[in-house]
Amino acid sequence: MKVQGELKQYRVVGRRLPSEKEPNPPLYQMKIFATNTVVAKSRFWYFVRLLKNVKKANGEIVSCAQIFEKKPLKVKNFAIWLRYDSRSGTHNMYREYRDLTTESAVTQCYRDMGARHRARGHSIQIMRVEEIPANKCRRPNVTQFHASKIRFPLTHRVKMRLNQPRFTTRRPTTCF
C-alpha cells in the first residue's frame, strides 16, 4: 500500500457470497485507513482472507463508507497499537500522537515509522486506534504539551519601523 497524501478512515463491510449451504452468511466489518476506497477494499480482502478464509472471488462488499471525525478542531491524544514487519521479524508496537483527527494521527504514525524504522506502508498493520485522556499518556513527546503554563519562545522577530526608512545600510537586529 502506498501512503501518498493524507489517509482517510473507511468502514468496509463484506461477506461471503450466499450459497445453498449458507443462504445468509455473516457480515464482517473493518475500520481501515487508506488513501481511497479502492485501496480500502483491497486491504479489507487482504485481512479477511487471513482472518476468515474468504477470498474476493467468493465474497462481496456490502458497503464502503468514509468515517468522519466528530470534533475535527479539538486537539486530542491518540494511542495507536500496530504491528509491522522489519528486516529481522514481526514486531508489535504502541505509539502515542497528538493531533486533531484520527486520520492525521495515523498518517503521522506511518510517516514516523518510515523515518525511524524504515518500515514500508504495506508492512504496517494498524490494529487499534484510541483517543486517550491526558492522564493516560505515557510518552514524553506527548506529555510535554500537557502543561497548563506552556510557553513558546518568539525568536528572531523584526520590529516594525514606522518612522525609519524602508531601505537602510544596517542589518536589522532580530534577537531581543
Side-chain angles (χ1 to χ4, degrees):
M1 176 175 92
K2 277 198 173 172
V3 187
Q4 293 176 326
E6 278 284 311
L7 291 173
K8 298 178 189 107
Q9 189 176 11
Y10 293 96
R11 177 180 286 117
V12 186
V13 181
R15 65 177 184 171
R16 191 186 297 271
L17 284 171
S19 62
E20 292 175 8
K21 193 182 209 180
E22 198 177 16
N24 200 4
L27 293 170
Y28 303 116
Q29 173 193 301
M30 269 187 201
K31 287 182 183 174
I32 291 179
F33 293 94
T35 48
N36 54 38
T37 54
V38 176
V39 177
K41 290 175 188 175
S42 173
R43 294 297 284 173
F44 172 79
W45 286 121
Y46 171 77
F47 290 121
V48 168
R49 192 173 66 243
L50 290 175
L51 299 168
K52 297 294 178 185
N53 201 19
V54 178
K55 292 198 308 187
K56 184 182 176 184
N58 303 331
E60 64 180 351
I61 299 281
V62 176
S63 81
C64 179
Q66 188 176 347
I67 301 171
F68 295 98
E69 194 81 22
K70 283 184 180 150
K71 293 186 177 179
L73 299 176
K74 180 188 168 203
V75 179
K76 298 172 275 290
N77 305 307
F78 291 100
I80 299 177
W81 288 265
L82 62 100
R83 167 186 162 173
Y84 80 102
D85 296 321
S86 71
R87 292 171 188 151
S88 57
T90 306
H91 311 282
N92 293 323
M93 201 174 271
Y94 168 80
R95 303 185 74 81
E96 286 178 1
Y97 295 97
R98 192 168 161 82
D99 217 315
L100 295 170
T101 62
T102 312
E103 295 94 10
S104 348
V106 171
T107 305
Q108 196 178 336
C109 179
Y110 270 90
R111 302 280 182 264
D112 200 31
M113 289 298 294
R116 292 179 194 274
H117 302 281
R118 299 292 183 266
R120 306 293 182 258
H122 62 84
S123 68
I124 300 171
Q125 296 177 10
I126 304 290
M127 293 190 286
R128 192 165 124 209
V129 180
E130 204 173 281
E131 185 185 327
I132 54 173
N135 62 346
K136 293 273 193 275
C137 291
R138 305 181 217 166
R139 304 289 186 254
N141 63 337
V142 173
T143 56
Q144 68 181 342
F145 294 107
H146 293 162
S148 60
K149 294 183 179 173
I150 191 166
R151 296 172 70 201
F152 298 98
L154 300 170
T155 58
H156 295 291
R157 296 175 59 177
V158 179
K159 276 188 178 176
M160 291 291 289
R161 298 174 304 188
L162 297 173
N163 299 324
Q164 294 173 342
R166 184 176 297 265
F167 301 104
T168 179
T169 54
R170 276 183 264 139
R171 288 176 179 268
T173 52
T174 58
C175 297
F176 302 105

